[in-house]
Amino acid sequence: MKSFRSHSSVQGNPCAAYAANPKKESGNLKAKTQALEKQCEATERQLKQEQHKLIRLQNRAKFLKGSERKKRNHRLITLGAMVESIEPKVKELSPKAFYFLAERIFRLTSVQELVAYATDNYLDTEDGD
């Protein structure tokens, strides 16, 4: 009868099952531990891949932003060269003096009308022809 009681208590209580057969439970624990370690390694590997992907996307964003900056710089240099070709004396002006001059010019009503006309009629062309 005693063996029957221990058997019934083993079925109803997992701790009792471990006490009754520690080797079996120890094997399950090792298997579970190994499975969790593999899962952890796979998750860490995936995390590293995602981190590298994020870095690549950030680098791509910087490149595209840099490309926009390069286009802007090129446009500003080109416009400055056009102004110098129209009026060579502006080369002698300091940046502060040039800014003062440009500000005064673009405040003139006739110039504002010309800018509006140019943007309405020449906006589609890249090279200004």
Side-chain angles (χ1 to χ4, degrees):
M1 287 237 168
K2 229 178 190 182
S3 65
F4 181 72
R5 283 185 193 159
S6 64
H7 180 60
S8 66
S9 65
V10 168
Q11 285 179 339
N13 185 352
C15 293
Y18 177 73
N21 192 355
K23 288 184 180 179
K24 182 179 177 185
E25 196 62 33
S26 177
N28 284 342
L29 185 59
K30 285 181 184 177
K32 288 179 182 179
T33 302
Q34 288 174 348
L36 288 173
E37 286 174 352
K38 285 182 181 179
Q39 185 180 2
C40 183
E41 289 172 4
T43 304
E44 286 176 351
R45 192 171 33 251
Q46 185 178 3
L47 175 63
K48 285 182 182 179
Q49 288 173 351
E50 295 299 324
Q51 287 172 337
H52 287 286
K53 194 184 294 185
L54 176 64
I55 290 169
R56 284 195 304 271
L57 289 172
Q58 288 171 339
N59 289 340
R60 180 75 177 148
K62 284 181 188 177
F63 172 77
L64 292 175
K65 188 176 181 181
S67 177
E68 291 174 17
R69 187 178 63 240
K70 287 178 184 178
K71 287 179 184 178
R72 180 179 182 270
N73 287 345
H74 177 73
R75 180 177 52 82
L76 293 174
I77 291 167
T78 303
L79 290 173
M82 289 179 198
V83 170
E84 285 183 357
S85 70
I86 293 168
E87 182 52 63
K89 287 186 178 182
V90 296
K91 292 178 194 175
E92 300 170 14
L93 295 176
S94 69
K96 187 175 181 179
F98 180 80
Y99 189 85
F100 175 80
L101 175 65
E103 190 176 45
R104 298 286 183 210
I105 289 171
F106 285 104
R107 280 188 190 167
L108 298 172
T109 306
S110 59
V111 173
Q112 290 176 358
E113 290 170 358
L114 287 171
V115 170
Y117 177 81
T119 55
D120 290 344
N121 293 298
Y122 298 104
L123 193 59
D124 297 331
T125 59
E126 287 283 324
D127 57 355
D129 290 336

